[in-house]
Amino acid sequence: MAALPTPSVPAIAARHRGLNRAEICDQNFVEFVRDWQGEAAERPQPQAPVLPGGACRAADFVELFESQLISRHLDLMARVLRVRNKVFYTIGSSGHEGNALVARLTRHTDPAFLHYRSGAFMAERFRKLPGLDPIMDSALSFAASQDDPASGGRHKVWGSKPLWVLPQTSTIASHLPKALGTAIAIEQARRIGHTLPVPSDSIAICSFGDASSNHATAQTAFNAAAWTAYQKLPAPVLFVCEDNGIGISVKTPDGWIARNFAERRDLDYFYADGLDLAEGYAGVERAVEHCRRTRRPTFLHLRTTRIMGHAGTDFEIEWRSVEELVQVEAGDPLLRSAAIALASGLYTRESLLALYEDIRARCFAAAEEADRRPKLTALADVIAPLAPYSPEAVAAEAARSADEARRAAVFGGADKLPERLPPRHLAIQINQALHDLFCKYPDALLFGEDVAQKGGVYTVTKGLHKAFKGARVFNTLLDETTILGLAQGYATMGMLPLPEIQYLAYFHNACDQIRGEAASLQFFSNGQYRNPMVVRIAGLGYQKGFGGHFHNDNSITALRDIPGLVVGCPSRGDDAATMLRTLAALARVDGRVSVFLEPIALYMTKDLHEAGDGQWLFPYPAPDQAMALGEGRVYAPEAEDLVIFTYGNGVPMSLRAAREIQARHGWQVRVVDLRWLVPLNEAYVAEQARSARRILVVDEGRHSAGVGEGVITAIVEAGLGAVPLRRVVGVDTYTPLAGAALLVLPGDADIVAAADTLA
C-alpha cells in the first residue's frame, strides 16, 4: 500500500485542543481530498481495473467506496447525536470499512454472522436486493426505533431477514459455533433430503476481531471446523478475522494472527489487505471462491485498523499518546480509497467532497427521521417475540401422529408398536418417543457424545442409529459448545435438532450458546429468525453406585434464568413421551428453544413402594396424545390435609412419604408433579394450593435459587402465605461420592420429618 501523508504535528496539537478524535478523522478526510495535488489518470471504463493490473474494477470500486463512506458517516452521526439522546449506540466500524469487500464478493443468500464493526459490510450487502435503504435501516436501529426492521428497537444490531444477516448483539466469539453449525447444516441437508432456505452451494460467513480469536468459544469453533475437515466432511464456513491489532485497550502482538492461523492444516488461511480496496480485492475473492468450491473451513485474515476508539465512551487520548493516535489515523482506509479515487480519475476533488457531504447529510437526515419514529413504550411490545406460544396450533401438531405404516416398519411390525406393549420404565419410553418423533419429522436430527452406535451412556438412544442411519443420528466431538452450535445451525437451516448433553453439569460449560445465542435470537430479530430445538439433558441426583457432583448435578438454576426457555422434567415414562411430543411441536410451530431434563436415577426405576411392585411402569401413550404446556399431574386430587409440590425424583419420594404421613397423622395427602419447571405455571400452583390446609415444597435442587423458591413465591403472591408451609430441599454444596450424596439430597424421611413439623 502506498504511503499516505501524515498531518503535521502543529496541526495535530491544535486539533487536540478542543476536538475529539471523530472530528479529527472527519477533518483529516476533508483536508486530504481538498489538498490533494496528485496527477489524475483518465477516468477508467466501468469494467476496467481501477488501478493497472488490479482485480478490482472501476464499477466495483465506486460502489465499495460509497459503502465505506456510508459506514463512516453513520459512525460520525452516532457520535454527534448520542449526546442529544437521539442515538443509543456508538461502537463504530471506522477503520474496518474494508469488510465491504467480503459483502461484495459473497451473496446475500450466504448466511452471515457479523462482528459489530460491520457497517460497510451491511451497506454493501444492501446493494444485493433492490428497494432497501442501508442508511435509513441503520438509523432506525441506532435510534432504537420500533420501526427498525432488524430488531424492532430492542437493540442496535446488524441484521436483515431478506439479506440473511442474523442479528448479533455482542459478538465476542459466541457466534462462531453456530456459524460453523450453519455451514455443516447446509451440507447435511442434502444427505437427509431436506430443502434448504438458501442455495445448496451457499457458505456461512462469520466475522470477528483479532482479540476475539483468542476466546475459548472461538477456539472451540476453529478446532471443531478443523476436526470436521480432517475427516473430509464439508464445512463451508468463511471465518473473517478483522485484525485491527487491539481489543479495547489490549494490543494484539504483531504477527500473532498470521503465526497462529497461517499453518493450521485443516483451516485454510488467506490474507487480504482491508485497508486498500484495490489491493485487498483479489485476496478476498480468492478466499471466498476457495470456500465455496472446496466446501472447506476457510480463514480470511483481513487487515484493518481501528480509529475513533472502541466506542464513543472510549477516550483514547487518556491512555494512548498523541503520536500513536496520529499514526493510527494516518492509516485510515478512507484516505487510501480517496487517493485511489482521485488518482484513477473516478472523482475530482470537488465531486468527491460533494459526495462525502451528500452522504453526511443523508445520514443525519435519516437519523432525525428515525428519532421521530415510535419507540417501544409498552412491556407487551418489548417481550412479544421472546416466547411465542400458539396453544391450539401446538396441541394440534403435538397430537398429529406419524404415518402408521412408517411406525410399524420402524418398530418391527404392527404388533410391536409401543402402545401395544406392556407398561415400561422411563428410559424405554423416552427411546420409543424418540423413534416416534423421527418417524414424524424427516428432518429431525439427534447428535451428541456417544449417542449413535452405543446408544448413549444409559442406552436411551439405542436403536436410533440403526433405524435412521448416520445422517440423522450421529456422534460429535466431546464439546458441548460445538454440540449446541451445531443445533443452532441446523435450526437456522429449517431442521429439527435434538442435541444431547450427556450430563447436566456439562451444560454449564456451554450455557451461553443457549442463554446468549439460541434463546435470544427471536427476541433480537423481532421474531424474524428462530432456533427451534429440543435439548435433551440427563441430570439430577440419586444415582446409586456412581456419581459425584458431575453425574449427580442437581442445580437447574442456570436454566431457570434464561428468558424464553422452556424446561420440562418428567418423572415417569408416559409423561416423557407426551412431553417430548409437545416440545417438538413448540419447536416446529413457535420456534421455541426447550430443554428436556431427564432424571437419570429414574431411567430404570420400575417399582415405587416395594421391590417387584411394578408401580413405576406405565403404558406407552397412543401417538395422538400430548401434554399441554404448564399442565401438572395430580395424585389424590381430592386430598386437602397436605399438598406436596414437587418434580422429578421428588415425585416417587413424595408418594412414598405420603403413605407414611397418612399412617402417622391420618392426613389425606395430595402430590402435585409440576412437570414443567420453566416457565413455572404460577396460576396452576396457586390453584392447587388454594384448597390446601398445609403445604410442603419438595425440591431436589439446592437451597438457593431452586424451583422451590418459585413455587413458594407463586403461593405467597396468590395471597396464600398464611397456609402453614415448609420446604424440603437440597443443601448448597457440591454432591459428594457414594452414600455421602444422600446427606445433601432430600429423601423420603426428610419429607416425613417436615410434615411432622406441620402437625
Side-chain angles (χ1 to χ4, degrees), residues 373-396:
R373 298 284 187 92
K375 303 289 195 298
L376 289 168
T377 57
L379 175 61
D381 292 336
V382 171
I383 65 173
L386 175 65
Y389 180 40
S390 312
E392 293 181 2
V394 168

Side-chain angles (χ1 to χ4, degrees), residues 513-595:
Q513 286 301 301
I514 298 298
R515 187 188 189 282
E517 293 292 339
S520 73
L521 183 59
Q522 289 202 94
F523 182 78
F524 287 119
S525 71
N526 199 19
Q528 297 175 90
Y529 284 108
R530 54 194 221 169
N531 276 314
M533 67 180 73
V534 181
V535 184
R536 293 180 47 251
I537 305 180
L540 303 177
Y542 305 98
Q543 287 194 81
K544 292 181 173 62
F546 186 34
H549 71 283
F550 265 140
H551 304 100
N552 272 312
D553 187 353
N554 63 329
S555 174
I556 67 164
T557 302
L559 293 168
R560 292 186 67 223
D561 185 49
I562 300 176
L565 186 69
V566 174
V567 179
C569 181
S571 64
R572 43 190 272 183
D574 54 347
D575 283 356
T578 55
M579 182 179 283
L580 270 172
R581 293 166 188 167
T582 296
L583 291 175
L586 277 168
R588 182 61 86 212
V589 173
D590 288 321
R592 297 294 290 276
V593 179
S594 64
V595 166

Side-chain angles (χ1 to χ4, degrees), residues 685-707:
V685 169
E687 175 191 338
Q688 292 295 324
R690 194 159 279 118
S691 59
R693 296 188 179 94
R694 303 166 190 85
I695 296 173
L696 281 181
V697 177
V698 177
D699 180 359
E700 64 181 287
R702 297 176 189 165
H703 182 271
S704 300
V707 173

Side-chain angles (χ1 to χ4, degrees), residues 389-411:
Y389 180 40
S390 312
E392 293 181 2
V394 168
E397 176 63 18
R400 181 176 65 84
S401 176
D403 177 74
E404 198 71 12
R406 174 66 170 150
R407 293 185 71 232
V410 165
F411 285 108

Side-chain angles (χ1 to χ4, degrees), residues 419-499:
E419 62 269 27
R420 298 178 183 174
L421 299 179
R424 307 300 291 270
H425 53 277
L426 177 66
I428 289 291
Q429 295 212 30
I430 293 175
N431 178 277
Q432 292 168 333
L434 290 172
H435 276 81
D436 254 340
L437 288 180
F438 268 63
C439 291
K440 182 176 178 178
Y441 298 109
D443 55 1
L445 305 170
L446 188 145
F447 49 93
E449 301 159 23
D450 305 303
V451 300
Q453 292 88 343
K454 179 177 174 63
V457 294
Y458 296 100
T459 69
V460 175
T461 58
K462 183 179 180 180
L464 281 164
H465 181 267
K466 182 178 179 180
F468 299 102
K469 310 309 177 189
R472 296 183 63 192
V473 181
F474 51 92
N475 295 324
T476 65
L477 71 172
L478 196 157
D479 180 64
E480 288 73 28
T481 298
T482 295
I483 291 169
L484 296 176
L486 285 171
Q488 292 176 81
Y490 292 129
T492 296
M493 291 294 102
M495 300 173 223
L496 178 61
L498 287 82

